[in-house]
Amino acid sequence: TYTVTDPNVEFYGDAADTFTFVANDGTDDSNIATVTVTYRENPPADIVALAGQPALGAVVDVPEVDATGAPSVFSLGINATDSNIVRPFGVKKIAWAVNGDGWTISAPSTDYANVPSQDNTVSITLPGYETIAGAGRPASQDFTVTVTVWDAMDVESTATWTIRVGDVDRPASAPTTLE
């Protein structure tokens, strides 16, 4: 039995572990055999923002509605690249989610055939005037958009953005009640 004692320590290439053994059938010894053991953790896919798109982790300011009163629409885009250190490799799937009700995410196909690198841009539509809900509506409210990328071995990597939605029903300085 070969046991990896610390899964956080990788050994491969010149640092690979080797041992030799001889088998015996009760009468004769076999030739000496050498076993080389390598361990390389599968690194998750790299995610970067596409040029012209908000940086990963950025705060993106979006009003509830646009100038015409229609629900605001914005886009986010990424490139996911998987390392070929282990096989199989490649981007298998990309999924987008938001922690708000009524948001619409329009995404291209999200299942891929383990491609080494894949761009993915989504268009996100807010619910409109009711994006920020509840009593004492704040002037803005933060939501989180998360993209998750799975590689060919189902290892996940994620990136997030904070979407700061501004209330356009009333200016931030408007009173909450009228006398």
Side-chain angles (χ1 to χ4, degrees):
T1 301
Y2 189 91
T3 305
V4 174
T5 57
D6 185 350
N8 296 317
V9 176
E10 298 177 332
F11 47 94
Y12 58 95
D14 293 338
D17 197 4
T18 61
F19 62 91
T20 59
F21 69 94
V22 174
N24 184 291
D25 64 4
T27 306
D28 296 317
D29 287 343
S30 69
N31 293 330
I32 296 173
T34 301
V35 175
T36 301
V37 179
T38 62
Y39 173 71
R40 178 70 192 208
E41 182 180 55
N42 178 21
D46 290 321
I47 302 173
V48 297
L50 291 175
Q53 294 290 329
L56 304 181
V59 175
V60 181
D61 291 311
V62 179
E64 278 184 304
V65 296
D66 65 18
T68 68
S72 287
V73 179
F74 65 97
S75 68
L76 296 171
I78 58 123
N79 171 271
T81 303
D82 193 34
S83 169
N84 65 357
I85 291 172
V86 296
R87 303 221 185 251
F89 73 97
V91 175
K92 179 178 179 180
K93 182 176 180 176
I94 299 174
W96 295 81
V98 65
N99 70 332
D101 292 332
W103 297 53
T104 303
I105 299 176
S106 301
S109 172
T110 58
D111 293 314
Y112 303 102
N114 298 336
V115 295
S117 181
Q118 181 64 49
D119 289 348
N120 190 279
T121 301
V122 294
S123 176
I124 301 175
T125 306
L126 277 61
Y129 284 110
E130 297 307 315
T131 304
I132 301 174
R137 291 168 52 118
S140 66
Q141 187 172 348
D142 290 350
F143 297 88
T144 303
V145 173
T146 303
V147 62
T148 304
V149 176
W150 288 266
D151 72 6
M153 296 177 71
D154 288 324
V155 173
E156 293 180 23
S157 53
T158 61
T160 61
W161 296 260
T162 298
I163 309 304
R164 182 157 297 144
V165 178
D167 181 6
V168 295
D169 285 345
R170 60 180 170 77
S173 61
T176 56
T177 60
L178 297 175
E179 295 181 27

